[in-house]
Amino acid sequence: MAEAEKVGTILVVDDEPMNIMVLRGLLGHAGYAVESALNGPEGLEKARSLRPDMVLLDVMMPGESGFETCKKLKGDSATAHIPVIFITCLDEMSNKLAGLDLGAVDYITKPFMAAEVVARVRSHMNFQRRQSEIIDAQATRLGQVHNAQMSLLVKPEALPEARFAVHFLPVLEAGGDFYDVLSFGGGQTAYFLADVSGHDLGASFITSSLKALFRQHASQGKSPAEILSGMNRILCAITTEEVYLTAVCLCLDRFQGRYSLASGGHPPVVGQLEGSARMLDISGLPLGMFEDAEYAVLEGGMAEGDRFYLYTDGLAENTGAYVTSQAFRSHLLESCLHNAIMPLSAAVVNMVRAMTGEEKPTDDVVLLGVDV
């Protein structure tokens, strides 16, 4: 039994006990564990509980036909992945096509030959096994990329003087959103947030270079516009025409009580200043598109108790709204004020949940909050 379990488990659904007995003998001899059911509903229930590696399904059964059972199997997320082979006396091409359209992988016609049954089962089981191995290998690689990407992101506890908190929800194991924070001492800190076009592995490879670029161009006394401009020139040289990114850079001088920010086509920063919340709008071209792009600076005063929020457009897209829509902006500002008295680490989590709900995001989401 241990060897059979290692080879695979097959569920045979047939209203004829003799057919089940024959198939049990054939497949058991070939090394498979065999379970059985005498009708469609029983077969569906066993498929859900046993999760076999394959289902051999008779078409002509009293009550619920095999076609109906197959449709239910493929319509249930718990059993949709299980390959189905029909075994039937129906030899017309239209019947075979109907079964394949329902998601079956093969068709064996009665009366069947023992060698044919075993060969077809083994072929599809091997294919399924190879497919699973490929998926597992890809998941491992993606997990390694995810871990590498996460290791690039500075943690709030590693830089307490920066007084920031972040909530990051990537769509895939590797995302296209990136942030970084640099403290220069003397109360001066720079915050950078970017969103690379797309959210696939290609986007994640670009994000891995952003940390080096930001730290190369950000330094004490440099304006956020100078930082973005320097990064843009390099990105134009190393990226293809199809790749670009929006970005925002916020610089704080806590001793002087001043902030300055520049944007490269990025959603506006939210400023919770003097007890009210407002969008700090400033225009600018995305990075990586035009080498001679120029960036303006928006400056203002700030005081202890004020906050800033930087975010990516996924915060809006996961609500079904545009990041530029008034409905989204109003919702975000309202959420900001609602969490004004909350600790920053709790506020960023609460705001993301309020904006996106509990559903898996359709686009990467980053919300980075900063306490003055």
Side-chain angles (χ1 to χ4, degrees), residues 284-307:
L285 292 170
L287 278 63
M289 295 182 70
F290 304 101
E291 188 176 348
D292 58 352
E294 296 182 355
Y295 300 93
V297 175
L298 178 64
E299 298 179 299
M302 62 185 191
E304 188 173 352
D306 290 344
R307 282 180 175 175

Side-chain angles (χ1 to χ4, degrees), residues 14 24 116-117 151 161 168 212 242 257 281 295-296 308 325 359:
D14 196 313
R24 186 186 296 276
E116 179 188 12
V117 172
S151 70
E161 66 271 25
F168 188 5
E242 296 79 16
D281 279 298
Y295 300 93
F308 296 92
S325 70
E359 297 295 325

Side-chain angles (χ1 to χ4, degrees), residues 238-298:
I238 67 174
T239 60
T240 62
E241 293 182 359
E242 296 79 16
V243 177
Y244 64 90
L245 58 100
T246 67
V248 63
C249 184
L250 171 69
C251 295
L252 302 188
D253 188 330
R254 289 183 171 84
F255 285 177
Q256 297 293 326
R258 301 290 296 176
Y259 73 85
S260 58
L261 68 91
S263 175
H266 203 78
V269 171
V270 174
Q272 184 184 309
L273 306 167
E274 299 178 338
S276 65
R278 63 179 184 270
M279 295 289 185
L280 303 176
D281 279 298
I282 183 169
S283 61
L285 292 170
L287 278 63
M289 295 182 70
F290 304 101
E291 188 176 348
D292 58 352
E294 296 182 355
Y295 300 93
V297 175
L298 178 64

